[in-house]
Amino acid sequence: MSRSVSKLLPLAVLVGAVGLGGCASKSFVREQIAPVSQRVDALESRLQETDGTAKAALAEAQAASGQAQQNGQRLDQLNGRVDGVDQRLSVQERRVKRPRN
């Protein structure tokens, strides 16, 4: 054998061995992927549940915000009415406190 052929022979054997032995069967791949697939399915289910909970919480928070805004407006109206009553009471008190001549 020539020197170049003797150098290439081990490389050719290695490439051939890797090429022939590197294929995995479908069943082997399924066995290896099954646990990962199950975990992904479980995580997707939990994610959907969490998403539903978050959406429900957001809806409740928005409703509470709207109710708080309505309550604030009502409080402003009541404050105005109380101020009016307070002013009328002050006017009446001044009339009563005036001495009669």
Side-chain angles (χ1 to χ4, degrees):
M1 271 195 214
S2 70
R3 287 175 94 181
S4 62
V5 173
S6 63
K7 288 182 180 180
L8 292 177
L9 186 61
L11 181 62
V13 171
L14 180 64
V15 169
V18 169
L20 294 176
C23 296
S25 67
K26 287 182 183 181
S27 62
F28 175 78
V29 172
R30 285 187 191 122
E31 288 174 13
Q32 298 301 310
I33 297 299
V36 175
S37 180
Q38 290 171 352
R39 289 184 66 194
V40 168
D41 291 343
L43 288 173
E44 283 179 347
S45 175
R46 287 180 58 194
L47 178 62
Q48 288 176 352
E49 182 180 325
T50 302
D51 186 51
T53 302
K55 286 180 181 178
L58 177 61
E60 288 180 23
Q62 288 173 335
S65 175
Q67 185 64 47
Q69 190 173 24
Q70 289 176 356
N71 291 344
Q73 291 171 351
R74 179 73 176 140
L75 186 58
D76 289 342
Q77 292 171 353
L78 291 174
N79 280 337
R81 290 178 66 186
V82 168
D83 289 345
V85 169
D86 192 36
Q87 287 174 358
R88 285 189 299 231
L89 183 60
S90 295
V91 169
Q92 287 178 358
E93 286 176 350
R94 278 186 258 148
R95 287 182 187 167
V96 171
K97 289 183 181 179
R98 289 184 188 167
R100 295 185 182 180
N101 293 341

